[in-house]
């Protein structure tokens, strides 16, 4: 290792966490190396996940809108030979723009970038295997593991990327199947299920859980199921798969534990993701993944080895691009003694299903459990002029406060613009505003944001009723 | 991955006429064999039954016989003889059966020229091997494998098409070699293959992959598909003539970087050689 190149900060993985960490360290004047197994910066998020699936969703939403009651005067349908790639027409332009922007940022900050697979030789020594090139030895003062994740391959599910696909290969489907079985009910599973449903595919979701995306507020989860089933989808909850086979005609036959069978043209297996840790040779530095296959880190993102940090999907939930970026930045700041921004108390989450879902803070059930009760204010999009104009009357905003009905503990939104609107509640929560602040302020008309005022008024009315009941008692 | 040679001014007049036809876009391209076209659309229909496919195949006895021959081959694990197309379907599976039937239909129409049978048989064998490799590379990349086979299979389809055209123009001495023809094939086969696929209404990514399989970086948004074909092409050459030199060339293949294939990935692919060869043999 004597002739190894020396860097102050070596980042393994060029996804959201790694990229932001590298930039942060470079801005602190450090010599940084960014390593990624793929040639392009951006990681799975950009190239196989978030961005491609959102491009497909955009087409699905447009089609759903054209098929909606507002456009009943026209008959919108997809051409017989529509390809999935054809539905992501702007994807290449979006990816190129994103790649160029990120590439320029890496270059501007003087960050060295190499395509390869890193392997620990010691806590501060790495070996990089490169395609078509000699191995490279590197010494580092600090290392950040941000190698991301990949789809989990459950035992007994014959993923062949032809009949049974994972969340990566489904995006390279040539044609739209007539029917699709989605195995799993997490975010990725539900996003793809609603996208394909909107594109006219008959979709069935199967999961062991009683409700999809169980970590969400129950009303959001129920709104998703209602909308999905109204559009013709089937959600088979509380079931397990006994066997999956591909019959001679190429149909995927799924045998369930209750004896029933589902026959579909394709299957999407989306039963979680696993951290990309194999190949890093972590045993060489004495780090072992936890029982869930993730790396344990402290509040600064540091592993049990003081010079090695980890961020993003490798450290487990929430495994969102936004949280990963923040974790990466904070790890770099801590490594080099820069003051870290305060850790946000609550991260917003956007789920890009159709309808869109967004959440910040605690669910109603969590508030009841932790604060001994909850008051809930609701606003239906149907009550809002913007909801009527846009034909989005099935959405809602839900504000949750503790039993005193003062401080906002959580906000949950289903429907158009949910992932944008939720930031209003997030800022109110960070600023410690009371529910009444939404009533005291004026919102543009007609907007979905007016829903905050409606929901706040509903919550305040309940608070007053509760106070009267208490006084009367 | 070798760059195709450039035609020179020594080429006979017939080649000049072909080049002029290519350059002015007046090339007369063969139609997609009707059976192949019907099979492809049948395969994409979710409501298709095995009976419909069997009916279609039975209308072309040569095709039906060939499908049965493939189903009975060792590559598909034949133990007891298969005598019906229904049986063939359960042995091969519907999508494999469709792939094989399409390939055979294309071969019968395109990869055929009196007097050049041995050469075209070699070319076909190479194409079938490349198609099988393309499927395995796509699988390794966790990409949908549908279409990869056809893309690899048709990567050099411009060569037989050009051969047929040259020999039609050359007149009765159809089995004679035209001096300098190879240079024209080398130079124009990708472009002609791509034009053929456009006329067959094949997807844009497949057209781009075939058009750019000697210069995949130029395939823009379809570069990944073009790199897969480029590597499949060279893996097919390696399968046909393995050796230390070919092995070394593969380990330095320019596709490894854009496809992010590392040493162990390539080793895993190379280990499939016998399986790929058997599958390709079955349709050769």
């Amino acid at each position: 290792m004597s002739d190894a190149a020396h860097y102050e900060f070596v980042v393994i993985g060029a996804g959201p966490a790694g990229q932001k960490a590298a930039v942060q360290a470079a801005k602190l004047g450090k010599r940084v190396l960014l390593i990624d197994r793929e040639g392009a910066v951006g990681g799975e998020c950009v190239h196989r996940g978030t961005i491609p699936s959102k491009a497909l969703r955009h087409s699905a939403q447009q089609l759903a809108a054209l098929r909606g009651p507002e456009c009943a005067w026209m008959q919108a349908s997809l051409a017989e030979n529509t390809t999935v790639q054809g539905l992501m027409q702007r994807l290449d332009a979006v990816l190129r723009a994103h790649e160029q922007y990120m590439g320029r940022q890496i270059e501007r900050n003087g960050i060295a970038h190499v395509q390869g697979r890193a392997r620990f030789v010691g806590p501060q020594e790495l070996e990089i295997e490169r395609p078509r090139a000699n191995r490279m030895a590197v010494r580092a003062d600090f290392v950040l593991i941000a190698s991301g994740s990949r789809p989990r391959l459950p035992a007994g599910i014959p993923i062949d990327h032809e009949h049974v696909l994972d969340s990566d290969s489904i995006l390279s489907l040539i044609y739209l199947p007539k029917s699709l079985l989605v195995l799993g009910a997490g975010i990725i599973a539900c996003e793809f299920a609603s996208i394909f449903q909107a594109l006219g595919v008959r979709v069935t979701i199967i999961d062991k859980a009683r409700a999809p995306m169980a970590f969400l507020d129950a009303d959001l989860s129920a709104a998703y199921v209602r909308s999905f089933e109204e559009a013709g989808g089937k959600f088979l909850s509380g079931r397990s798969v006994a066997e999956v086979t591909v019959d001679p005609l190429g149909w995927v036959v799924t045998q369930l534990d209750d004896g029933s069978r589902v026959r579909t043209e394709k299957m999407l297996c989306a039963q979680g993701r696993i951290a990309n840790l194999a190949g890093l040779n972590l045993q060489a530095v004495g780090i072992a993944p936890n029982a869930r296959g993730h790396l344990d880190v402290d509040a600064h993102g540091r592993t049990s080895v003081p010079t090695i940090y980890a961020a993003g999907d490798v450290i487990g939930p929430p495994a969102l691009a936004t949280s990963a970026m923040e974790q990466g930045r904070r790890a770099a700041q801590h490594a080099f003694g820069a003051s870290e921004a305060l850790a946000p108390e609550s991260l917003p989450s956007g789920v890009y299903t159709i309808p869109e879902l967004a959440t910040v803070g605690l669910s109603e059930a969590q508030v009841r459990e932790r604060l001994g009760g909850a008051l809930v204010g609701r606003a239906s999009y149907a009550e809002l002029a913007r909801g009527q104009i846009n034909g989005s009357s099935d959405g809602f905003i839900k504000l949750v406060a503790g039993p005193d009905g003062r401080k906002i503990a959580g906000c949950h939104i289903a429907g158009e613009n949910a992932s944008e609107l939720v930031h209003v509640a997030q800022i109110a929560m960070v600023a410690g505003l009371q529910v009444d602040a939404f009533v005291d302020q004026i919102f543009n008309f007609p907007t979905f944001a007016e829903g905050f005022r409606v929901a706040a008024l509903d919550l305040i009315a309940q608070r007053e009723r509760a106070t009267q009941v208490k006084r009367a008692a | 991955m070798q760059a195709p040679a450039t035609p020179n001014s020594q080429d006979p007049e017939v080649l000049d006429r072909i080049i002029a036809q290519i350059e002015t876009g007046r090339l007369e391209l063969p139609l997609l064999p009707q059976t192949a076209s019907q099979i492809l659309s049948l395969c994409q229909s979710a409501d298709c039954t095995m009976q419909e496919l069997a009916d279609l195949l039975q209308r072309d006895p040569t095709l039906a016989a060939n499908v049965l021959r493939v189903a009975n081959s060792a590559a598909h694990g034949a133990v007891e003889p298969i005598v019906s197309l229904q049986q063939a379907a359960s042995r091969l599976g519907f999508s494999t059966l469709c792939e094989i039937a399409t390939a055979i239909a294309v071969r019968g129409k395109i990869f055929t020229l009196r007097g050049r049978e041995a050469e075209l048989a070699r070319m076909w064998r190479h194409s079938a091997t490349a198609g099988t490799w393309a499927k395995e590379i796509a699988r390794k990349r966790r990409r949908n494998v549908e279409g990869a086979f056809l893309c690899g299979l048709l990567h050099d389809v411009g060569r037989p098409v050009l051969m047929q055209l040259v020999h039609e123009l050359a007149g009765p001495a159809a089995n004679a070699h035209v001096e300098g023809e190879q240079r024209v094939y080398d130079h124009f086969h990708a472009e002609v293959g791509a034009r053929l696929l456009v006329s067959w209404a094949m997807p844009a990514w497949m057209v781009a992959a075939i058009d750019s399989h000697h210069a995949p970086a130029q395939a823009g948004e379809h570069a990944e598909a073009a790199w897969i074909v480029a590597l499949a092409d060279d893996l097919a050459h390696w399968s046909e003539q393995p050796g230390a030199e070919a092995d070394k060339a593969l380990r330095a293949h320019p596709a490894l970087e854009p496809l992010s294939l590392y040493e162990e990935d390539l080793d895993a692919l190379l280990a499939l050689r016998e399986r790929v060869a058997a599958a390709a043999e079955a349709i050769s």
Side-chain angles (χ1 to χ4, degrees):
Chain A
M1 278 282 162
S2 56
D3 55 348
H6 172 255
Y7 292 89
E8 287 161 292
F9 197 46
V10 169
V11 179
I12 305 170
Q19 192 212 345
K20 295 298 174 199
V23 171
Q24 178 65 66
K27 285 193 186 301
L28 292 170
K30 304 301 168 190
R31 192 160 181 254
V32 183
L33 173 67
L34 182 59
I35 309 165
D36 196 276
R37 59 160 293 133
E38 300 281 335
V41 182
E44 297 275 308
C45 160
V46 171
H47 299 281
R48 294 193 181 203
T50 313
I51 291 185
S53 65
K54 300 316 165 266
L56 185 60
R57 179 181 184 266
H58 182 69
S59 296
Q61 271 185 305
Q62 287 182 319
L63 184 69
L66 289 172
R67 283 174 170 167
E70 298 75 36
C71 296
W73 47 274
M74 62 185 287
Q75 285 188 320
S77 62
L78 288 175
E80 191 60 28
N81 56 353
T82 300
T83 63
V84 173
Q85 217 168 37
L87 289 164
M88 299 192 287
Q89 270 178 356
R90 289 185 56 250
L91 176 63
D92 187 54
V94 174
L95 288 181
R96 270 169 201 263
H98 208 72
E99 259 179 53
Q100 281 171 6
Y101 161 73
M102 289 185 298
R104 278 198 301 269
Q105 196 184 34
I106 297 294
E107 205 183 312
R108 198 170 55 238
N109 285 285
I111 297 165
H113 177 214
V114 64
Q115 180 184 6
R117 289 198 306 200
R119 181 175 176 277
F120 280 97
V121 178
Q124 292 177 298
E125 288 99 38
L126 292 155
E127 184 183 70
I128 305 167
E129 180 199 355
R130 295 177 291 167
R132 300 175 67 215
N134 292 333
R135 285 168 195 250
M136 188 177 152
V138 170
R139 279 184 302 117
D141 295 345
F142 294 99
V143 178
L144 174 76
I145 303 170
S147 44
S149 65
R150 62 184 184 283
R152 194 167 75 85
L153 308 178
I157 309 294
I159 297 176
D160 58 2
H161 305 295
E162 185 170 359
H163 307 92
V164 183
L165 305 126
D166 66 18
S167 55
D168 288 348
S169 53
I170 195 150
L171 286 165
S172 53
L173 263 183
I174 297 175
Y175 55 90
L176 279 177
K178 295 279 190 293
S179 55
L180 175 72
L181 186 144
V182 175
L183 206 54
I187 291 181
I188 294 173
C190 291
E191 283 185 354
F192 276 118
S194 61
I195 289 170
F196 279 95
Q197 178 71 46
L199 289 169
V201 178
R202 288 191 305 274
V203 182
T204 305
I205 301 176
I206 294 178
D207 196 62
K208 281 181 198 163
R210 287 277 155 211
M213 301 175 281
F215 52 91
L216 291 177
D217 185 275
D219 282 350
L220 288 189
S221 181
Y224 173 80
V225 175
R226 193 169 52 246
S227 168
F228 178 68
E229 291 188 335
E230 275 171 6
K234 268 191 208 164
F235 179 66
L236 303 179
S237 62
R239 327 271 171 106
S240 293
V241 169
E243 192 185 22
V244 178
T245 52
V246 178
D247 78 6
L249 292 179
W251 290 91
V252 181
V253 181
T254 307
Q255 184 78 45
L256 303 182
D257 56 356
D258 62 1
S260 60
R261 278 191 340 159
V262 183
R263 190 169 172 263
T264 50
E265 199 181 337
K266 302 281 178 195
M267 171 188 271
L268 164 65
C269 178
Q271 293 194 313
R273 298 180 67 87
I274 53 167
N276 288 327
L277 298 174
L280 288 175
N281 195 28
L282 289 172
Q283 57 273 31
V285 289
I287 296 176
N290 61 27
R292 298 181 67 88
H294 300 130
L295 297 180
D296 291 322
V297 292
D298 65 15
H300 311 289
R302 197 167 40 179
T303 65
S304 54
V305 178
T307 55
I308 301 176
Y309 290 74
D313 287 9
V314 293
I315 64 170
L320 299 168
T322 41
S323 55
M325 291 179 204
E326 187 57 24
Q327 290 159 0
R329 258 186 238 125
R330 292 168 57 77
Q333 285 166 339
H334 186 264
F336 298 107
S339 58
E340 287 171 73
L342 284 175
E345 278 177 22
S346 48
L347 281 168
S349 300
V351 180
Y352 297 94
T353 44
I354 302 172
E356 195 165 301
L357 308 174
T359 185
V360 64
L362 302 176
S363 68
E364 183 183 338
Q366 286 170 328
V367 173
R368 287 190 191 286
E369 191 191 318
R370 293 188 199 178
L371 305 178
L375 289 183
V376 176
R378 294 171 202 271
S380 162
Y381 277 15
E383 301 171 75
L384 308 172
R386 174 53 69 191
Q388 292 297 336
I389 294 166
N390 287 26
S392 298
S393 51
D394 56 348
F396 64 82
I397 294 176
K398 172 178 175 180
L399 288 176
V400 187
D404 65 352
R406 301 276 170 198
K407 207 174 157 191
I408 305 160
C411 174
H412 313 284
I413 308 174
E416 200 174 340
N417 287 352
S419 57
E420 299 281 354
L421 286 168
V422 78
H423 298 126
V424 175
Q426 182 196 6
I427 296 302
M429 287 166 69
V430 170
L433 298 180
Q434 297 221 338
V435 176
D436 308 68
F438 286 114
V439 181
D440 299 337
Q441 300 305 313
I442 293 168
F443 291 86
N444 276 331
F445 175 85
T447 60
F448 287 115
E450 283 184 287
F452 283 107
R453 196 163 190 273
V454 177
L457 283 167
D458 184 30
L459 204 151
I460 290 166
Q462 290 178 55
R463 184 177 73 199
E464 284 168 1
R465 272 198 299 275
T467 311
Q468 282 165 7
V469 170
K470 217 180 260 176
R471 275 196 200 127
Chain B
M1 204 175 65
Q2 288 176 340
T6 311
N8 63 25
S9 57
Q10 305 299 309
D11 299 335
E13 187 260 348
V14 64
L15 296 180
D16 290 341
R17 282 165 59 196
I18 287 286
I19 293 169
Q21 283 183 14
I22 296 169
E23 286 172 348
T24 54
R26 285 185 289 109
L27 207 60
E28 258 189 53
L29 296 166
L31 298 172
L32 175 65
Q34 197 189 6
T35 322
S37 160
Q38 288 169 332
I39 291 167
L40 280 174
S41 59
L42 203 61
C43 290
Q44 292 190 5
S45 153
D47 313 320
C48 165
T49 64
M50 184 53 220
Q51 193 54 53
E52 282 174 286
L53 183 62
D55 290 348
L56 185 60
L57 294 174
Q58 270 153 7
R59 269 183 251 153
D60 184 337
T62 315
L63 183 59
N66 272 306
V67 166
L68 288 174
R69 179 181 60 78
V70 174
N72 276 308
S73 69
H76 295 286
V79 181
E80 289 173 12
I82 291 174
V83 291
S84 77
L85 290 165
Q86 295 276 359
Q87 257 183 306
S90 49
R91 166 70 51 81
L92 302 174
F94 191 65
S95 54
T96 308
L97 194 67
C98 284
E99 253 172 19
I100 292 168
T102 310
I104 291 169
V106 170
R107 183 187 187 185
K109 177 82 185 274
I110 311 288
F111 286 75
T112 175
L113 186 63
R114 217 178 191 181
R116 307 286 289 266
E117 289 84 357
E119 195 179 335
L120 281 161
R122 274 198 304 278
M123 209 181 276
W124 174 255
R125 173 63 190 261
H126 171 76
S127 298
T129 312
T132 316
W133 275 122
K135 202 168 171 175
E136 293 308 328
I137 300 166
R139 210 188 306 277
K140 192 85 204 149
R141 287 280 298 154
R142 298 209 325 272
R143 291 287 192 259
N144 190 306
V145 302
E146 285 172 292
F149 173 78
L150 209 52
C151 204
L153 182 85
L154 298 176
H155 77 285
D156 272 347
V157 72
R159 287 182 186 277
V161 167
L162 279 168
M163 278 172 83
Q164 286 181 353
L165 291 169
V166 165
H167 287 263
E168 267 170 35
L169 283 176
N175 58 353
H177 287 255
V178 176
E179 194 191 336
E181 63 177 341
Q182 210 55 50
R183 284 171 182 276
V184 175
Y185 304 155
D186 285 349
H187 187 74
F188 290 107
H189 75 279
E191 183 184 338
V192 170
R195 286 199 206 173
L196 182 73
L197 262 69
V198 170
S199 73
W200 288 359
M202 291 291 186
W205 66 270
M206 211 180 263
V207 174
I210 284 166
D211 198 14
S212 308
H213 73 274
H214 287 293
Q218 291 169 16
E221 62 185 295
H222 305 301
E224 183 176 356
W227 280 117
I228 288 177
V229 175
L231 182 58
D233 188 9
D234 288 334
L235 276 167
H237 286 302
W238 169 82
S239 304
E240 288 147 17
Q241 282 189 312
E245 273 302 301
D247 201 73
K248 199 176 155 193
L250 271 182
R251 292 187 185 281
H253 200 284
L256 300 181
E257 233 168 306
L259 295 177
S260 300
L261 293 173
Y262 291 81
E263 203 175 341
E264 67 179 48
D265 302 319
L266 186 62
D267 287 342
L269 277 173
L270 299 186
L272 300 172
R273 185 177 157 231
E274 280 184 21
R275 214 172 80 193
V276 168
E281 173 68 36
I283 51 172
S284 294

